[in-house]
Amino acid sequence: MAHAVHALVLGLSGLVRACDLTRFVLFFFPVQPDRPDELLRVQNAGGRVIYWDGPRVLGVLAMSRAIGDNYLKPYVISEPEVTVTDRSEEDECLILASDGLWDVVSNDTACGVVRMCLKAQKLPSPPGSPGRDVAADGSDKACSDASILLTKLALARHSSDNVSVVVVDLRRDQRQQQS
């Protein structure tokens, strides 16, 4: 059975990335107003991208696709980009995160943190972590721990944006069979 990752992207930058044994995969390019195709779309709709503390539609919004912001339509649209990417047997995990993580944490570092947590599934959660008392199998707990660690890392590196992180173990079935 073929496996694929389906990504629906609306507004967030750097939402879906996957790690495998030797590399990371970026499933889409950030939806920012200065991306050439988005810039052209905004301009064709009669809008402008103004550089005010970064590229912004009409100098206001730092993304060109979003839910809400009706006053910026038709320049900002809510139509998502949809991406389907075939998975390989080597894919280890999927990291879904907002740009608050990716602005301050490299792909390699994020994959390294997740890989470390998946290999050390039996370790307890850090004290004071959300979900510490929730019963879950080792893979779920490792993914939760990786999400928490990546969030704390982004905050420690003074991310200036919202930080949301979800980690999915793409080899969960293989790991459970090995235990």
Side-chain angles (χ1 to χ4, degrees), residues 92 118-119 121-122 136-143 169-179:
E92 290 184 273
L118 290 174
K119 286 182 181 175
Q121 289 181 10
K122 311 283 187 283
D137 74 23
S139 176
D140 289 345
K141 183 139 181 25
C143 289
D169 183 357
L170 296 176
R171 301 178 85 192
R172 178 180 176 171
D173 292 338
Q174 293 172 352
R175 291 181 212 282
Q176 287 176 341
Q177 290 171 359
Q178 293 171 353
S179 344

Side-chain angles (χ1 to χ4, degrees), residues 61-115:
L61 192 63
M63 59 184 75
S64 55
R65 294 176 187 245
I67 298 173
D69 301 298
N70 287 332
Y71 65 98
L72 292 174
K73 300 216 181 307
Y75 321 120
V76 175
I77 62 172
S78 59
E79 181 181 325
E81 287 188 334
V82 178
T83 302
V84 178
T85 303
D86 291 332
R87 287 183 37 204
S88 76
E89 292 296 320
E90 289 79 35
D91 291 341
E92 290 184 273
C93 66
L94 186 66
I95 304 171
L96 299 112
S98 62
D99 52 353
L101 175 74
W102 302 119
D103 287 348
V104 295
V105 177
S106 72
N107 296 311
D108 290 334
T109 298
C111 289
V113 167
V114 172
R115 198 172 286 124

Side-chain angles (χ1 to χ4, degrees), residues 5 10 24-25 29-31 33 53 61 64 68 74 80-81 106 126 141 146 163-164 168 170 172 179:
V5 173
L10 181 64
F24 67 89
V25 177
F29 298 98
V31 182
D53 192 29
L61 192 63
S64 55
E81 287 188 334
S106 72
K141 183 139 181 25
V163 181
S164 298
V168 179
L170 296 176
R172 178 180 176 171
S179 344

Side-chain angles (χ1 to χ4, degrees), residues 22-43:
T22 59
R23 62 182 168 78
F24 67 89
V25 177
L26 176 62
F27 286 109
F28 74 96
F29 298 98
V31 182
Q32 295 175 332
D34 63 342
R35 194 176 83 180
D37 60 328
E38 289 294 303
L39 178 62
L40 186 61
R41 186 189 57 71
V42 169
Q43 290 171 340

